[in-house]
Amino acid sequence: MTTVALRDVTKIFSDGTVAVDALSLDVADGEFMVLLGPSGCGKSTVLRIVAGLEDPSVGAVLLDGELANDMPPRDRGIAMVFQDFALYPHMTVGDNIAFPLRLAGVEQDRRGERVSDVAGALGIGEVLARRPGQLSGGQRQRVAMGRAIVRRPGLFLMDEPLSNLDSGLRAELRAEISGLVRELGVSTIYVTHDQAEALTMADRVAIMRKGVLQDVGTPTQVYGRP
Ligand code: ADP
Ligand code: ADP
């Protein structure tokens, strides 16, 4: 299980840019939180601060109630997915998904089981022997998700994972991602500038503008409709 609490988090970059301004936000265990706002409003910076890839200038990050500001990224139990997939092109799909397990020293039989389970759940069980270059965009994003969840993270961070896909595929994967995440029961922060994505996927939406959190609530609370 993982809960996230950000307390008065501010990020000022060395050039003086205030990317995040006194932001406080709670993500409950198993909650699907969508961080919504226009490009440049600070969404990715928030995600990178939660992941430990960026230090807050001011404020606290708590994971499961514990102060995590000084916790290394690898100890945070977090998996991340980005829009550019970042798959290893020379490895097969199976080896891509298994890679985090290999790093963690999981033995080969167990790796095979986990990869089959995850690939089956994502509908890519038939393409495990292919390389990323032989896949469609949707399949590549499924592989990236498989690699992210294979170690059963407590927290799943996604940064515009669908923005490089065409609109039909986006709609399909929206449903698939929210279904998968709910099945896993993993707490999720999902960054997007797409309001339709936020409305269809979120348990709660956090709306950001110019580094400031403007509103947070269920889609109905925030937009007056589900
Ligand atoms: P810090 O303030 O954390 O030291 P830097 O200003 O040194 O950050 O930049 C860190 C990285 O972010 C560099 O790779 C840089 O190219 C990139 N970067 C700098 N300015 C911006 C910007 N306005 N938007 C996005 N990335 C930037
Ligand atoms: P979003 O994810 O909403 O597009 P970002 O978090 O990437 O926004 O960026 C928020 C603001 O911080 C932007 O003005 C961006 O240019 C700036 N920024 C991001 N990274 C850096 C950096 N390393 N150095 C300086 N400015 C940055």
Side-chain angles (χ1 to χ4, degrees):
M1 79 138 221
T2 303
T3 65
V4 181
L6 300 175
R7 291 286 172 268
D8 283 318
V9 167
T10 292
K11 178 66 183 183
I12 306 170
F13 284 105
S14 51
D15 66 357
T17 303
V18 182
V20 182
D21 191 356
L23 183 141
S24 294
L25 182 67
D26 287 275
V27 181
D29 188 29
E31 183 170 42
F32 196 117
M33 175 70 77
V34 173
L35 208 50
L36 174 69
S39 178
C41 74
K43 306 180 299 293
S44 298
T45 302
V46 170
L47 219 56
R48 291 171 60 77
I49 287 171
V50 172
L53 302 174
E54 205 77 76
D55 289 324
S57 310
V58 183
V61 178
L62 296 100
L63 297 175
D64 290 333
E66 303 275 345
L67 188 63
N69 287 42
D70 295 326
M71 188 187 285
R74 65 176 177 280
D75 296 342
R76 297 188 180 204
I78 284 173
M80 287 187 88
V81 171
F82 306 93
Q83 65 188 52
D84 63 1
F85 317 135
L87 299 175
Y88 306 112
H90 59 290
M91 289 186 198
T92 64
V93 166
D95 288 344
N96 264 279
I97 297 174
F99 192 70
L101 298 176
R102 184 189 284 269
L103 282 187
V106 175
E107 57 156 314
Q108 192 172 359
D109 288 357
R110 185 88 191 97
R111 288 205 302 266
E113 277 170 36
R114 288 289 299 144
V115 169
S116 304
D117 285 354
V118 166
L122 287 164
I124 49 174
E126 308 303 312
V127 297
L128 287 177
R130 290 197 204 163
R131 287 175 214 284
Q134 301 168 293
L135 302 177
S136 68
Q139 286 174 323
R140 278 183 217 159
Q141 192 50 286
R142 290 183 178 95
V143 177
M145 284 173 45
R147 188 180 56 184
I149 61 175
V150 74
R151 287 193 67 194
R152 304 179 196 277
L155 179 62
F156 199 9
L157 304 180
M158 285 184 271
D159 195 346
E160 307 258 8
L162 305 183
S163 59
N164 282 348
L165 304 174
D166 68 50
S167 65
L169 199 52
R170 268 211 305 274
E172 192 183 312
L173 273 167
R174 242 185 237 161
E176 195 174 306
I177 290 176
S178 41
L180 180 73
V181 162
R182 289 197 167 79
E183 201 175 298
L184 293 167
V186 60
S187 313
T188 300
I189 306 178
Y190 184 103
V191 161
T192 184
H193 61 268
D194 182 336
Q195 185 175 311
E197 247 170 63
L199 286 170
T200 52
M201 298 177 84
D203 291 326
R204 286 193 303 151
V205 187
I207 299 176
M208 277 186 81
R209 210 161 297 270
K210 295 185 178 164
V212 176
L213 184 64
Q214 290 212 312
D215 204 356
V216 56
T218 64
T220 313
Q221 287 167 343
V222 171
Y223 291 105
R225 59 190 166 93

